[in-house]
């Protein structure tokens, strides 16, 4: 089940708040308004969007919003539940055989787990199971990397377009030295586009890349745990052995808590 990952919007809000606080505390509201310049915003946002259109096909760009949405969502992947599932399945398989696991598939939501169990039921060799499931992992990793690449490029392009806007403002300023009234707006374009480009890159695009990469890393880690569980099922391993093998992938804090509980039960 996906929930809202509150840390992402909170982090962005904190970053913006610190910038706003720094500006207002030094220059008041008039200082804050001086940091709002529509032409500078359009140069950076329009430039980034234009270069993304050149860099990526339309089909991929259409998914940018969906990919970015993942940074604001948190999908619960509980390793302990996966371990428990495979312990239960291994007990049932040893008592009733692998074919008995077909009845359990309806209660399993994870398609990757289902696929692995079906391969085990069909009697596919462990090496082939690993090869097929790792191919799916590689496909997931590649798909996620393509999605992240749009935000990576946007993070690279934003500061560059900020510098382009700065050059535009400087050229306009130098051409209007005899017109004092136009120096201020041109100077604003020259400085604020660099500010907007750096802010977008470092507070939005690059942090989203880092968040998406972390989610992908965790998802691939969980899939590796599932592969080991499936191979253990196929090999007919004892449920205690399966539990001991998979439990090492649980967070260390929970492993220590479980060990304490076991000691208490033994006492």
């Amino acid at each position: 089940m996906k929930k809202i990952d509150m840390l992402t919007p909170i982090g962005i809000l904190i970053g913006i708040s610190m910038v706003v606080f720094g500006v207002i505390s030094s220059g008041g509201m008039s200082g804050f308004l001086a940091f709002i310049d529509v032409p500078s915003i359009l140069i950076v946002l329009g430039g980034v969007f234009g270069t993304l259109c050149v860099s990526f096909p339309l089909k991929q760009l259409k998914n940018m919003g969906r990919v970015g949405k993942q940074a604001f969502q948190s999908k619960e992947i509980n390793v302990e539940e996966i371990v428990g599932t495979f312990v239960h399945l291994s007990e049932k398989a040893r008592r009733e055989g692998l074919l008995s696991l077909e009845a359990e598939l309806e209660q399993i939501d994870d398609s990757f787990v289902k696929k692995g169990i079906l391969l085990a039921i069909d009697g596919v060799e462990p090496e082939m199971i690993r090869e097929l499931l790792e191919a799916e992992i590689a496909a997931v990793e590649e798909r996620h990397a393509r999605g992240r690449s749009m935000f990576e490029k946007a993070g690279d392009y934003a500061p560059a377009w900020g510098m382009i806007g700065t050059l535009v403002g400087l050229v306009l300023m130098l051409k209007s030295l005899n017109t004092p009234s136009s120096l201020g707006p041109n100077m604003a374009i020259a400085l604020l586009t660099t500010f907007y480009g750096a802010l977008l890159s470092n507070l939005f695009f690059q942090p989203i890349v880092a968040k998406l990469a972390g989610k992908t890393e965790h998802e691939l880690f969980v899939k590796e745990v599932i592969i080991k569980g499936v191979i253990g099922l196929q090999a007919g391993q004892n449920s205690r052995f399966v539990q001991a093998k998979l439990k090492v992938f649980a967070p260390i804090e929970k492993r220590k808590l479980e060990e304490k509980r076991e000691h208490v039960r033994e006492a």
Side-chain angles (χ1 to χ4, degrees):
M1 180 179 179
K2 290 185 177 181
K3 301 178 181 179
I4 297 178
D5 186 347
M6 293 304 299
L7 281 178
T8 301
I10 287 174
I12 293 174
L13 184 61
I14 289 174
I16 293 175
S17 299
M18 291 302 98
V19 172
V20 171
F21 172 76
V23 171
I24 291 179
S25 63
S26 300
M29 282 303 299
S30 60
F32 173 73
L33 293 176
F35 275 78
I36 299 176
D37 186 74
V38 175
S40 298
I41 295 172
L42 292 178
I43 287 174
V44 175
L45 291 180
V48 170
F49 179 72
T51 48
L52 288 177
C53 289
V54 175
S55 302
F56 298 96
L58 180 60
K59 183 178 180 180
Q60 190 171 348
L61 279 177
K62 285 181 178 179
N63 293 325
M64 189 172 182
R66 182 180 60 80
V67 173
K69 185 180 177 181
Q70 301 302 315
F72 295 84
Q73 293 180 334
S74 177
K75 184 179 179 181
E76 295 290 339
I77 305 179
N78 194 317
V79 177
E80 295 79 48
E81 287 184 6
I82 293 174
V83 173
T85 297
F86 278 105
V87 169
H88 167 70
L89 292 175
S90 63
E91 290 174 348
K92 186 177 180 65
R94 284 177 67 85
R95 287 196 314 266
E96 306 173 25
L98 280 173
L99 290 177
S100 66
L101 300 183
E102 286 190 89
E104 301 285 334
L105 293 178
E106 295 181 359
Q107 302 175 19
I108 298 174
D109 297 327
D110 194 307
S111 61
F112 191 75
V113 175
K114 282 185 177 180
K115 181 176 181 179
I117 293 174
L118 283 172
L119 290 171
I121 292 173
D122 291 340
V124 179
E125 292 296 323
E127 295 79 9
M128 186 62 70
I129 291 177
R130 175 172 288 279
E131 184 176 342
L132 290 171
L133 295 182
E134 285 184 345
E136 184 167 335
I137 287 178
V140 169
E141 188 173 13
E142 174 63 24
R143 186 170 66 250
H144 288 191
R146 284 202 308 270
R148 288 198 310 273
S149 65
M150 293 182 287
F151 287 90
E152 289 174 349
K153 289 300 182 183
D156 293 337
Y157 293 147
W161 276 100
M163 291 302 299
I164 290 172
T166 296
L167 294 175
V168 170
L170 289 174
V171 170
L172 293 174
M173 186 180 67
L174 291 173
K175 282 193 171 184
S176 60
L177 289 176
N178 295 327
T179 311
S181 61
S182 64
L183 290 179
N186 292 335
M187 178 63 77
I189 293 177
L191 297 178
L192 289 178
T193 48
T194 297
F195 170 74
Y196 290 144
L199 190 65
L200 274 174
S201 177
N202 292 286
L203 188 57
F204 186 72
F205 292 127
Q206 297 295 355
I208 282 182
V209 170
K211 178 60 73 71
L212 292 175
K215 289 178 180 291
T216 297
E217 183 178 348
H218 181 63
E219 182 177 344
L220 298 184
F221 167 76
V222 171
K223 290 185 183 301
E224 286 289 347
V225 176
I226 292 171
I227 289 177
K228 293 185 183 298
V230 170
I231 291 176
L233 274 180
Q234 202 274 346
Q237 293 173 350
N238 182 279
S239 60
R240 286 185 175 275
F241 179 77
V242 171
Q243 183 178 28
K245 184 173 69 172
L246 298 184
K247 195 165 64 173
V248 298
F249 294 100
I252 190 169
E253 295 84 1
K254 294 189 176 181
R255 294 210 313 265
K256 289 180 177 179
L257 181 60
E258 184 63 27
E259 289 173 359
K260 287 181 180 179
R261 289 174 179 170
E262 289 179 0
H263 290 318
V264 169
R265 286 196 293 267
E266 289 175 357

